[in-house]
Amino acid sequence: MLKAYKITYLSPTSPVRSFTIFGAICWSYKLIHGEEKLKEFLNGFKENQKFLISSAFPYVKDKFLFPKPILPIKGDSADFKVKIQRKDYKKARFITLEVLKEVIDGNIRYEEDFVKFKSSSGIIQSENDDLKIEQKRHTQVRNMINRITNASENLFSIESDFKVYDEYFLVYFIDTGFENEFQRLIKLAEEIGFGGKKSIGWGRVEINNLDPEPLKELIDLNADKFITLSPIIPTERINPGESYYDIETFKSYTENTFEEEKLKKKVLYIKEGSVLRKKDTIMSGQLKEVENGIYQYGLEFPIGVKYV
């Protein structure tokens, strides 16, 4: 069962990715059920996932946007005009559902094939669309206090980009009986906030349900060729020689709203938008233990494609 959730940002927020949301869900689970129950939940989740989560992507003018798939380049076989045009498309970060369906069906198989659509404001979209992703600069004045004398020592400012557009994330419930519990957990996560710097007012969000109907046919858990909407901690089940992907290393702290934060071990991720081929139909990502009892979420959210 697929569910879609809209995020409205009420303050600056660090990027919301699948592991951000999963971490917030786990923290809510711990607050409601206790630490021992959370350990049981995570130990069971490693082998029998109750749900999969995507990262958050723009939701603009009631349209779902997706990470631009990482596709091969034709190179010398492309004509000169297409090579020049490719520069604008290379900079684009997102595509519309219309463009995504062209990729799924194999009508777009190379980076150069995107030129059948227009690239505007970092979005590959149809000529009739006028979608933009807008942000405003947010300046926050802070005061450094001497903890011994309680005197003000220095005023300083923190600048950040504040999203003035909504985003969405998707949840696919493998265990449909967990949906009501998830709803309760996500509402508590909404109250606590998402991401880092919550102590200075960041991460305030409002979460509402969206109609997932336009996307229901996209998710294919058994696909051996897929675009991932969430970063993956890879396993040997991925065939790297027949995949197109970007990788990153990531290191973060645990939630620090109610207890002292801990720095987790670094993990390797395959980024959202990567186009992958698996060796079988078993889940290719993993929930990885990065410290004693601390886990990092790294399961795929697969959009099945016909070609890789």
Side-chain angles (χ1 to χ4, degrees):
M1 178 188 295
L2 182 67
K3 300 288 288 187
Y5 298 88
K6 182 176 72 172
I7 305 174
T8 300
Y9 293 98
L10 308 177
S11 73
T13 309
S14 53
V16 176
R17 304 174 74 182
S18 59
F19 49 76
T20 313
I21 301 167
F22 186 81
I25 291 297
C26 288
W27 187 251
S28 295
Y29 197 97
K30 180 180 178 179
L31 290 176
I32 294 173
H33 300 291
E35 186 169 354
E36 290 305 314
K37 287 292 184 182
L38 174 61
K39 289 179 180 178
E40 292 177 15
F41 170 77
L42 290 171
N43 285 331
F45 199 96
K46 283 192 297 184
E47 301 300 329
N48 296 294
Q49 296 82 28
K50 293 181 179 296
F51 55 85
L52 300 175
I53 305 176
S54 79
S55 292
F57 305 109
Y59 183 70
V60 181
K61 293 184 178 180
D62 298 328
K63 290 196 174 187
F64 297 95
L65 299 184
F66 302 86
K68 187 185 75 171
I70 299 169
L71 297 176
I73 297 172
K74 287 181 182 177
D76 293 340
S77 63
D79 62 44
F80 181 75
K81 181 179 178 181
V82 170
K83 287 182 180 179
I84 295 298
Q85 288 177 311
R86 194 174 69 204
K87 293 182 179 180
D88 290 335
Y89 292 83
K90 187 176 181 180
K91 296 176 183 177
R93 295 178 56 211
F94 302 104
I95 62 174
T96 61
L97 178 58
E98 179 183 359
V99 180
L100 176 63
K101 288 180 177 179
E102 291 285 295
V103 178
I104 291 171
D105 291 338
N107 298 322
I108 293 177
R109 298 178 63 178
Y110 297 94
E111 179 83 18
E112 290 88 346
D113 294 338
F114 284 123
V115 298
K116 64 176 67 176
F117 294 93
K118 74 175 180 181
S119 179
S120 177
S121 299
I123 305 168
I124 299 175
Q125 54 190 298
S126 72
E127 290 294 335
N128 297 326
D129 285 328
D130 185 24
L131 304 178
K132 298 179 181 178
I133 298 174
E134 297 180 320
Q135 299 184 118
K136 65 180 180 182
R137 201 66 178 162
H138 178 271
T139 302
Q140 189 173 7
V141 178
R142 304 287 297 164
N143 188 12
M144 186 177 293
I145 302 294
N146 186 309
R147 298 304 177 187
I148 298 176
T149 65
N150 290 323
S152 173
E153 291 192 343
N154 185 34
L155 289 175
F156 63 97
S157 62
I158 299 175
E159 289 194 343
S160 59
D161 290 325
F162 180 30
K163 296 173 183 175
V164 293
Y165 59 91
D166 294 329
E167 289 191 322
Y168 76 94
F169 66 93
L170 304 175
V171 180
Y172 189 90
F173 289 97
I174 300 171
D175 178 359
T176 56
F178 195 76
E179 182 187 348
N180 289 338
E181 174 73 354
F182 188 92
Q183 288 286 145
R184 181 164 68 142
L185 296 172
I186 203 67
K187 292 310 290 184
L188 179 54
E190 176 188 37
E191 294 296 323
I192 297 171
F194 278 169
K197 299 183 181 179
K198 290 192 285 294
S199 63
I200 61 172
W202 283 35
R204 292 189 298 115
V205 297
E206 181 180 295
I207 301 174
N208 293 290
N209 290 74
L210 285 172
D211 181 10
E213 188 62 36
L215 312 179
K216 280 187 174 180
E217 302 303 319
L218 301 181
I219 314 304
D220 186 356
L221 301 189
N222 295 317
D224 64 341
K225 303 179 287 291
F226 64 93
I227 301 166
T228 181
L229 299 186
S230 62
I232 299 172
I233 299 175
T235 65
E236 70 282 353
R237 295 191 182 98
I238 294 174
N239 188 337
E242 297 184 40
S243 303
Y244 302 96
Y245 54 91
D246 280 340
I247 60 174
E248 64 177 322
T249 55
F250 184 82
K251 197 172 186 177
S252 65
Y253 287 90
T254 58
E255 172 64 47
N256 67 345
T257 305
F258 298 103
E259 61 183 43
E260 185 178 355
E261 65 186 6
K262 299 175 183 177
L263 182 62
K264 294 185 283 188
K265 289 182 180 178
K266 185 184 297 184
V267 293
L268 178 73
Y269 271 117
I270 294 176
K271 289 185 179 181
E272 302 94 329
S274 294
V275 185
L276 305 170
R277 181 186 285 273
K278 294 193 293 187
K279 296 177 181 178
D280 49 44
T281 59
I282 301 172
M283 195 70 63
S284 65
Q286 59 181 307
L287 183 68
K288 184 174 183 178
E289 187 170 0
V290 293
E291 204 67 59
N292 293 333
I294 299 174
Y295 290 86
Q296 188 74 14
Y297 184 84
L299 297 168
E300 67 258 35
F301 198 96
I303 301 292
V305 296
K306 294 182 179 179
Y307 300 95
V308 173

